[in-house]
Amino acid sequence: MTTIALCQIPVSPDPSVNLKRAQEALAHARGADLAIFPEATLTRYGTRITELAEPLDGPFVTGLAQAAREHGIAVIAGVFEPGDDRVHNTAVALDADGALQAAYRKIHLFDSFGASESSLVAPGDRPTVVELAGLRVGLITCYDIRFPELARALVDQGADVFAVIAAWGSGVLKEDHWITLVRARALENTTWTAAVGQAPNPQESSDGFGIGRSMLVDPLGVVRADLGSGAGVQLVRIDPELTASARRTLPCLEHRVLGVNRS
């Protein structure tokens, strides 16, 4: 089995504050093989992300890598990476030695519910699966969860778990959407799904990003852990035998009819 730490932290506009919170969360994640942090762990969304974005060898990722190495825990976290005229919303994957193993640039940008992420963020174009802590982890960022074809592409690349990182916006039915979508991606792909969102942080921002509700969902869509809305770190375990059992019972990946929607 693999032990994962769901690190549901509040995110400040200040990267140095967030690095300290991530380092403290890793200290509380003792015994985990992999720690997952939210989208935009570097800094909260807003127009300042263009000036606060850092290269992947900058102080934030370097500090996170040092903490990963110190505690012997692999890490996934969301940062903003400078681009040509806009930044990238990037999920970095560090191994337990602190080495950068992958950087996934968010493909689907949140131009919905009145937001316009694409005005500040340039999209990526490459689904990413990374080997961490003995797992093949498919990386999914926030709005990506609404697009089942991305999760399916990750399964086709051999993902045996999804890591979903988010700064999910609050609002009418939004929390229900989050729970439904995370469970659906797990169930339709019979794949463990570890989804981690920002904890609400009204003391430092009124933007509404961050509802908490970080979860571990098993391959049959059962919620095995739910952190609610408060900040916290919870250790959960992924059992690959349950994946094999679920896929024997529900072999829907084998039953796909490719091209069914094409005329």
Side-chain angles (χ1 to χ4, degrees):
M1 292 193 187
T2 302
T3 301
I4 293 178
L6 307 178
C7 298
Q8 182 170 288
I9 63 171
V11 173
S12 163
D14 185 342
S16 64
V17 170
N18 297 324
L19 178 57
K20 182 177 179 181
R21 287 174 180 167
Q23 291 167 332
E24 291 171 347
L26 282 174
H28 284 97
R30 183 174 300 173
D33 303 297
L34 169 63
I36 304 176
F37 288 89
E39 176 189 25
T41 299
L42 170 71
T43 183
R44 294 190 73 82
Y45 267 104
T47 56
R48 291 193 68 207
I49 63 173
T50 55
E51 64 183 87
L52 294 174
E54 296 182 6
L56 300 184
D57 59 356
F60 187 85
V61 174
T62 299
L64 207 56
Q66 290 172 343
R69 185 164 54 250
E70 176 186 351
H71 297 288
I73 302 173
V75 171
I76 294 170
V79 301
F80 294 107
E81 178 190 5
D84 293 333
D85 56 348
R86 294 174 289 174
V87 302
H88 292 287
N89 185 342
T90 303
V92 295
L94 308 168
D95 66 19
D97 293 323
L100 181 67
Q101 294 299 318
Y104 164 64
R105 293 173 171 176
K106 184 179 181 183
I107 294 172
H108 302 97
L109 301 182
F110 185 56
D111 290 354
S112 299
F113 292 95
S116 180
E117 185 177 13
S118 65
S119 65
L120 298 172
V121 177
D125 60 5
R126 183 176 301 175
T128 301
V129 175
V130 59
E131 294 194 16
L132 287 179
L135 297 170
R136 286 186 57 78
V137 183
L139 301 176
I140 296 173
T141 300
C142 205
Y143 192 52
D144 281 336
I145 197 70
R146 293 185 183 271
F147 300 87
E149 59 271 24
L150 175 60
R152 188 55 55 86
L154 297 172
V155 167
D156 286 343
Q157 290 183 27
D160 46 40
V161 59
F162 299 139
V164 183
I165 63 172
W168 203 258
S170 60
V172 176
L173 294 178
K174 291 294 298 298
E175 189 169 327
D176 186 60
H177 289 186
W178 166 254
I179 297 165
T180 300
L181 290 162
V182 171
R183 294 186 66 192
R185 298 297 84 84
L187 176 57
E188 70 194 4
N189 293 290
T190 51
T191 300
W192 285 98
T193 300
V196 177
Q198 293 183 11
N201 191 7
Q203 292 77 23
E204 293 178 296
S205 179
S206 60
D207 58 27
F209 288 112
I211 62 167
R213 299 306 300 270
S214 300
M215 293 183 288
L216 178 70
V217 182
D218 75 19
L220 290 177
V222 177
V223 177
R224 296 298 187 100
D226 184 334
L227 272 66
S229 62
V233 175
Q234 184 169 337
L235 270 58
V236 295
R237 301 183 80 186
I238 285 182
D239 182 357
E241 290 301 318
L242 185 59
T243 302
S245 174
R247 290 179 178 178
R248 286 192 298 268
T249 302
L250 179 62
C252 57
L253 293 176
E254 299 176 23
H255 294 163
R256 287 186 293 167
V257 179
L258 298 180
V260 69
N261 291 323
R262 296 180 182 177
S263 56

